[in-house]
Amino acid sequence: NAGVTQTPKFQVLKTGQSMTLQCAQDMNHEYMSWYRQDPGMGLRLIHYSVGAGITDQGEVPNGYNVSRSTTEDFPLRLLSAAPSQTSVYFCASKLGESGRRRSYGYTFGSGTRLTVV
Amino acid sequence: RKEVEQDPGPFNVPEGATVAFNCTYSNSASQSFFWYRQDCRKEPKLLMSVYSSGNEDGRFTAQLNRASQYISLLIRDSKLSDSATYLCVVPPGGYNKLIFGAGTRLAVHP
């Protein structure tokens, strides 16, 4: 049981390049989210998904795209990298809210440290 | 006003001390709350969930005051291993989105 796996762990991009941050979970979690963490600002929600085929925007979605074709995978695409996107990116997942299941917190991946030069 | 506000810290305390962190939230629709712990350059990890007036887990106690929209985390008998950043997390009416506070850094020294 690997939990939430993010790849790559580190990445350097040039301004204007595109790339995809990968996120996979093996816990059959319905909910998945992408956050970015910048110094002094806490974690901010980029995009989230409540199930396969369903995605929505968070607080800071501009410059990022997501898709959720399977329950397991939730990739984050940077369309045209900018220095302002230099950050640490975390993917997280949790069980959904159906029935009487208790709403435990999210499980986070170990993060991707992205630098855009 | 930010949706979630925390004591800025850092808190520097000796081993064995009792320390408390505060967190205020603005969305009165929030029903449950979380405290996460984040070590330097690591991912956040769930420390405690708070669903009613409070929750206790060993040396850690979380309390909720809905009227004042205020959450606290109390750590008793601090250990060196408690040194970390503590994040207050609020789901604003649903669990598909979490709003994080900026965190409070705790440093426990010998």
Side-chain angles (χ1 to χ4, degrees), chain B:
Chain B
R1 180 185 175 186
K2 291 183 181 179
E3 290 192 66
V4 181
E5 294 197 70
Q6 293 187 242
D7 287 349
F11 285 61
N12 294 295
V13 303
E15 279 186 287
T18 295
V19 61
F21 306 138
N22 302 320
C23 173
T24 57
Y25 62 96
S26 60
N27 191 330
S28 59
S30 300
Q31 295 296 309
S32 301
F33 309 87
F34 304 98
W35 283 101
Y36 277 76
R37 170 197 168 121
Q38 186 174 27
D39 294 292
C40 185
R41 302 181 69 81
K42 298 287 189 181
E43 72 273 22
K45 292 185 178 178
L46 180 64
L47 179 65
M48 295 186 74
S49 306
V50 187
Y51 297 101
S52 56
S53 60
N55 190 15
E56 184 172 329
D57 183 5
R59 298 183 294 109
F60 298 84
T61 300
Q63 291 191 316
L64 168 63
N65 184 320
R66 292 188 189 278
S68 301
Q69 295 182 200
Y70 172 95
I71 312 156
S72 65
L73 178 68
L74 182 76
I75 305 175
R76 291 180 295 276
D77 189 22
S78 298
K79 312 290 185 190
L80 293 175
S81 58
D82 293 334
S83 298
T85 296
Y86 291 84
L87 306 172
C88 175
V89 183
V90 178
Y95 302 100
N96 50 344
K97 298 193 289 187
L98 300 180
I99 305 298
F100 284 79
T104 301
R105 193 160 65 86
L106 171 65
V108 181
H109 57 81

Side-chain angles (χ1 to χ4, degrees), chain A residues 20-103:
Chain A
T20 299
L21 308 185
Q22 301 292 343
C23 176
Q25 52 89 11
D26 60 357
M27 299 172 282
N28 203 30
H29 285 175
E30 290 100 325
Y31 287 12
M32 297 186 75
S33 299
W34 275 102
Y35 289 86
R36 61 176 288 174
Q37 185 172 35
D38 302 295
M41 299 187 71
L43 284 87
R44 292 181 292 167
L45 181 65
I46 304 172
H47 286 285
Y48 65 97
S49 168
V50 299
I54 306 169
T55 64
D56 206 347
Q57 296 181 350
E59 300 174 70
V60 288
N62 292 339
Y64 307 95
N65 274 356
V66 291
S67 60
R68 185 95 180 270
S69 55
T70 67
T71 300
E72 294 78 19
D73 300 298
F74 191 43
L76 178 73
R77 281 182 287 279
L78 278 71
L79 309 173
S80 177
S84 61
Q85 293 179 304
T86 294
S87 188
V88 180
Y89 291 84
F90 288 104
C91 178
S93 73
K94 74 180 293 290
L95 288 170
E97 302 302 313
S98 61
R100 295 182 178 182
R101 194 161 44 195
R102 181 173 281 271
S103 301

